[in-house]
Amino acid sequence: MRRLLRTFLLALPAVVLIAATCGSLWLLWTVYRAGGFGFHDVTLINDWFSNALYYAQPYYVTATGEMHLRYSFTPTVLIAAPLYLFTESQFLLPALGPVCLAIALWTFYRLFRRLVKERLPDTVAASMGAALLLICTGTAYTRAVLLTPHYEIFYLPPFACACYLAVVNHSRNRIALWFCALVAIGIRQDAALYFLFQFGGLAFLVSDRRAFLRRNALLLGFCFAYLLVVVLWVGPALQTGRSSLEYWYHLGDTPTTIAAGLLDRFAQIPEELRHSALYPLNRSFG
């Protein structure tokens, strides 16, 4: 009986994640069959994926005659284009959302198990992991993200893999780590900003913080430089009628004021935490 219970608890995280993923796919399929997804953005994104494969015109939107790259710098999104060789269904983009989320969450679960390996029994860690997976897949925010299919969710799997590889810390993983990081920050023009702080935050989870930062200082510095180059030069060179700073207008209207506004958000953390306002705090970062 004890062995059966142990087996059940160890398998519980996988069961929870598979059930949540299948449920999300079924929900998205019913919405898709009911015509709940329109041109923005399912048809639009599927269009420039298809044009990349069949007409060698990546990011070209047939309906508007424009290059989508002019509106959002997303060079590594095309890594998903080969999937469109297997189906012509418009449902592929909505379906990729739960799949990407499942890959990322399972990778983070494995990372969690590695971090607590010497602190918690396997069954306790698995039970906690199952609970965390249930929370992550069952929130209103997760449902909202999945019900508005877009390519930003492609950021999660490479970012999660980069985090896992960084903690594993084997020399043979450095190339894979950099590859995952490059894919993640190329998903959108501001992805490097999120990667910079999220990946850097791993230093507070590992036992040797200084060693982690020393090993990954070059990667973090590259992300910061990439962010500056894309936002200050690449974005303005490609875009017409729009600013590459538009995602941060709530922080300021110039690079300097945006940087100051971002730093001011960090200064608000102690006050927000004092009132347990985690939701408003997260929203304030955009």
Side-chain angles (χ1 to χ4, degrees):
M1 185 67 182
R2 182 174 299 180
R3 181 178 298 180
L4 183 61
L5 178 60
R6 173 182 169 80
T7 302
F8 170 77
L9 291 176
L10 292 177
L12 190 58
V15 173
V16 168
L17 192 56
I18 291 172
T21 303
C22 292
S24 297
L25 288 170
W26 177 81
L27 174 63
L28 290 170
W29 175 249
T30 58
V31 174
Y32 173 76
R33 294 290 294 173
F37 301 126
F39 178 77
H40 288 286
D41 286 314
V42 172
T43 304
L44 183 148
I45 295 174
N46 282 330
D47 185 36
W48 52 259
F49 268 129
S50 300
N51 284 333
L53 284 175
Y54 298 107
Y55 301 104
Q57 292 182 305
Y59 302 104
Y60 180 74
V61 182
T62 307
T64 62
E66 294 181 306
M67 298 294 290
H68 189 267
L69 203 62
R70 295 166 60 184
Y71 295 94
S72 189
F73 187 66
T74 57
T76 60
V77 167
L78 284 181
I79 199 170
L83 295 175
Y84 285 79
L85 292 172
F86 298 98
T87 179
E88 297 181 356
S89 173
Q90 295 272 359
F91 182 65
L92 179 58
L93 181 64
L96 285 176
V99 174
C100 287
L101 181 63
I103 294 173
L105 288 178
W106 184 254
T107 305
F108 281 129
Y109 166 69
R110 298 306 305 171
L111 176 59
F112 166 75
R113 288 291 303 272
R114 190 176 187 88
L115 290 172
V116 301
K117 184 177 181 180
E118 299 179 357
R119 305 176 187 177
L120 296 174
D122 287 346
T123 53
V124 175
S127 301
M128 293 177 62
L132 290 172
L133 290 173
L134 187 61
I135 292 172
C136 290
T137 56
T139 64
Y141 177 78
T142 301
R143 290 195 300 272
V145 170
L146 295 179
L147 286 171
T148 53
H150 219 260
Y151 53 78
E152 279 87 349
I153 202 168
F154 296 172
Y155 168 85
L156 290 178
F159 168 68
C161 290
C163 291
Y164 183 83
L165 292 171
V167 172
V168 169
N169 186 28
H170 293 159
S171 58
R172 65 177 181 273
N173 291 328
R174 301 308 294 179
I175 295 177
L177 168 61
W178 273 83
F179 174 77
C180 291
L182 291 174
V183 172
I185 66 177
I187 294 297
R188 208 172 76 165
Q189 58 264 41
D190 57 344
L193 176 67
Y194 297 98
F195 187 95
L196 186 65
F197 289 105
Q198 292 169 343
F199 186 83
L202 282 176
F204 296 95
L205 300 178
V206 297
S207 57
D208 194 339
R209 186 181 309 171
R210 291 184 178 179
F212 177 86
L213 292 174
R214 186 169 58 253
R215 287 194 306 268
N216 298 290
L218 181 60
L219 177 58
L220 294 172
F222 175 83
C223 289
F224 183 71
Y226 176 88
L227 176 68
L228 292 180
V229 170
V230 169
V231 171
L232 298 180
W233 291 289
V234 176
L238 290 175
Q239 296 175 355
T240 58
R242 294 177 58 165
S243 171
S244 58
L245 302 175
E246 62 179 340
Y247 293 107
W248 302 300
Y249 275 155
H250 63 290
L251 298 173
D253 54 4
T254 66
T256 303
T257 57
I258 288 174
L262 183 62
L263 292 175
D264 179 63
R265 289 298 191 276
F266 288 102
Q268 296 177 20
I269 290 178
E271 182 65 22
E272 296 287 357
L273 290 178
R274 191 175 297 116
H275 296 89
S276 300
L278 293 179
Y279 180 69
L281 173 65
N282 286 326
R283 286 185 59 86
S284 72
F285 282 94

